[in-house]
Amino acid sequence: MPELPEVEVVRRGLETHLVGRRISAARVLHPRAARHQVGGAGEIEARLADQVVTAARRRGKFLWLTLDDADTALLVHLGMSGQMLVKSAEAEPSRHLRARLDLDDGSQVWFVDQRTFGYWWIGDLIDGVPARVAHIARDLLSSEVDLKAVAASLKTRPTEIKRLLLNQELISGIGNIYADEMLWEAQIHPRQRADRISAARLLGLLEAGREVMTRALAQGGTSFDALYVNVNGDSGYFALSLNAYGQQDEPCARCGTPIAREHFMNRSSHFCPRCQRRR
DNA sequence: CACAGCACCTGCCCGC
DNA sequence: TGCGGGCAGGTGCTGT
C-alpha cells in the first residue's frame, strides 16, 4: 500500500482495531522484515510482548504504533507490497506472511509482504517521531507543513522537479502515482528543472498534490489489484479517477492528446506532451 | 554536501 | 511449455 493516501487508509484501520489492545505475543517470521533492527527479529518480539497500543500515527509513507512503554513505537513501512491485515485466529494461512501480532481479544494483525521491501522496527520516539523517521520531512497532508517554505526550497534546486517530489526529505508522502497526478494537474513537465519554475507555480503544484491526495483518500486510495488493500482486505477506488498514471495512449482529459509514457529513474513517468511542456 | 544509479525482492505478463 | 526480459505503488546504500 505505498503512497500517503493508501498508508493513511491502513493507519485509520489500525487505529480502530488496535488502540487500547494489549499485544499478547509478536512473531517475526522472515528475517528481511527485521533487517533494520540491530537485535534482529528476537528484539522486536521481546520488546512488543505485553505492550498496550496507545495510538497509530503516520508521517508520509511511514506509520507507527505507540506503546505504553512510553517513548517507544513499532515502526511499519509497507515498501512496495506490504499489507497490515486484521485477521481472526482461524484465518487461512498466507504465503507471504512476514510478521504477526497476537492481541488480547484473540484477533491478530498480519504483516503480509510479497516483495519484502517493507519492514518493522521498534525503537525510541524523538520529538514524537521514531528515530528512523527523523530524516523524513513533514508530509503533504500535515497541518504543520509550510507549503510556501517547501516551494521556496524546491526553487533553489537545479534538479528535475519529479525527482525532488519523490525525495522524502523535502516533502513526504509522494510516490510515482501522485507525482504524475499532481504534475498533470499543475501542467508541469516531470523533467522541468525546479529552479526554472516560478515559486507561485511550485506552490500551486504542492496545493494540487494536497488536493489530489485528499480526493484519493476519500475514495479509499488507489488499488489496481488485491495487493493494495485496507486492514479488512478491501480495495480503494481512486484508480478510476487517475488522469496521468497508467494512462499512456489514452486521451488527456484536458486536451485529448494521447498521454505519453517515458522511462525515468528506473520507473515510468506519465504526462500530457501538450499540456505539460518542458521549457 | 547533493545527486544519480542501482541493489534489494517476488510475481506477472509478454514475446520468442 | 519454458525461458528470458521487462515491469510494478519504495527506500536506502554507494560512488562521484
Side-chain angles (χ1 to χ4, degrees):
Chain A
M1 270 311 246
E3 303 182 47
L4 187 157
E6 294 76 41
V7 177
E8 174 61 14
V9 166
V10 173
R11 189 203 66 76
R12 291 177 181 182
L14 294 176
E15 181 171 67
T16 300
H17 286 89
L18 276 174
V19 172
R21 294 257 79 89
R22 184 175 296 275
I23 297 167
S24 47
R27 290 282 292 140
V28 177
L29 304 161
H30 193 293
R32 276 185 56 79
R35 68 190 182 280
H36 293 301
Q37 193 76 36
V38 172
E43 183 186 359
I44 295 176
E45 293 176 351
R47 293 180 69 176
L48 284 175
D50 224 32
Q51 291 290 311
V52 173
V53 176
T54 52
R57 305 212 184 280
R58 182 187 57 71
R59 174 177 283 191
K61 306 170 198 173
F62 291 77
L63 84 96
W64 62 93
L65 304 173
T66 62
L67 306 171
D68 64 346
D69 177 3
D71 302 323
T72 298
L74 173 66
L75 176 67
V76 176
H77 198 286
L78 301 174
M80 290 284 268
S81 57
Q83 306 172 337
M84 289 286 276
L85 301 170
V86 174
K87 296 280 190 175
S88 71
E90 308 83 48
E92 292 289 313
S94 169
R95 179 171 178 192
H96 303 297
L97 178 64
R98 308 304 187 198
R100 192 184 77 221
L101 300 176
D102 297 340
L103 303 177
D104 59 355
D105 63 353
S107 69
Q108 302 181 348
V109 174
W110 290 10
F111 178 52
V112 174
D113 185 15
Q114 178 191 101
R115 292 175 69 185
T116 72
F117 289 167
Y119 62 88
W120 281 10
W121 177 89
I122 188 166
D124 292 343
L125 289 168
I126 297 175
D127 296 331
V129 172
R132 267 202 78 82
V133 178
H135 65 297
I136 300 297
R138 291 212 157 79
D139 63 60
L140 254 191
L141 293 191
S142 165
S143 56
E144 296 165 55
V145 79
D146 180 348
L147 293 188
K148 274 194 173 171
V150 175
S153 112
L154 293 173
K155 178 81 183 137
T156 68
R157 306 291 191 114
T159 306
E160 294 160 332
I161 183 63
K162 182 170 173 182
R163 185 178 284 278
L164 296 176
L165 294 178
L166 296 176
N167 178 347
Q168 306 298 302
E169 299 182 26
L170 301 167
I171 180 77
S172 75
I174 303 165
N176 209 34
I177 293 179
Y178 296 99
D180 283 358
E181 292 302 305
M182 64 198 279
L183 287 163
W184 182 88
E185 287 286 345
Q187 302 186 46
I188 295 171
H189 192 287
R191 302 189 61 190
Q192 178 72 40
R193 275 175 51 161
D195 60 346
R196 294 182 184 166
I197 305 173
S198 74
R201 291 192 80 212
L202 288 168
L203 180 60
L205 171 64
L206 296 171
E207 286 169 343
R210 177 179 271 178
E211 189 268 335
V212 170
M213 284 190 177
T214 301
R215 279 195 284 127
L217 189 51
Q219 300 287 309
T222 302
S223 307
F224 302 122
D225 53 45
L227 227 45
Y228 302 94
V229 294
N230 67 15
V231 298
N232 301 312
D234 303 323
S235 294
Y237 295 96
F238 194 67
L240 301 170
S241 306
L242 296 174
N243 288 308
Y245 186 85
Q247 306 304 301
Q248 61 272 15
D249 305 327
E250 296 293 322
C252 170
R254 236 178 347 239
C255 76
T257 304
I259 296 292
R261 171 172 158 175
E262 200 174 84
H263 287 280
F264 179 76
M265 289 175 74
N266 284 330
R267 33 167 66 83
S268 297
S269 282
H270 312 75
F271 60 96
C272 173
R274 182 168 168 198
C275 306
Q276 295 170 262
R277 293 281 173 83
R278 189 178 184 185
R279 286 168 233 276

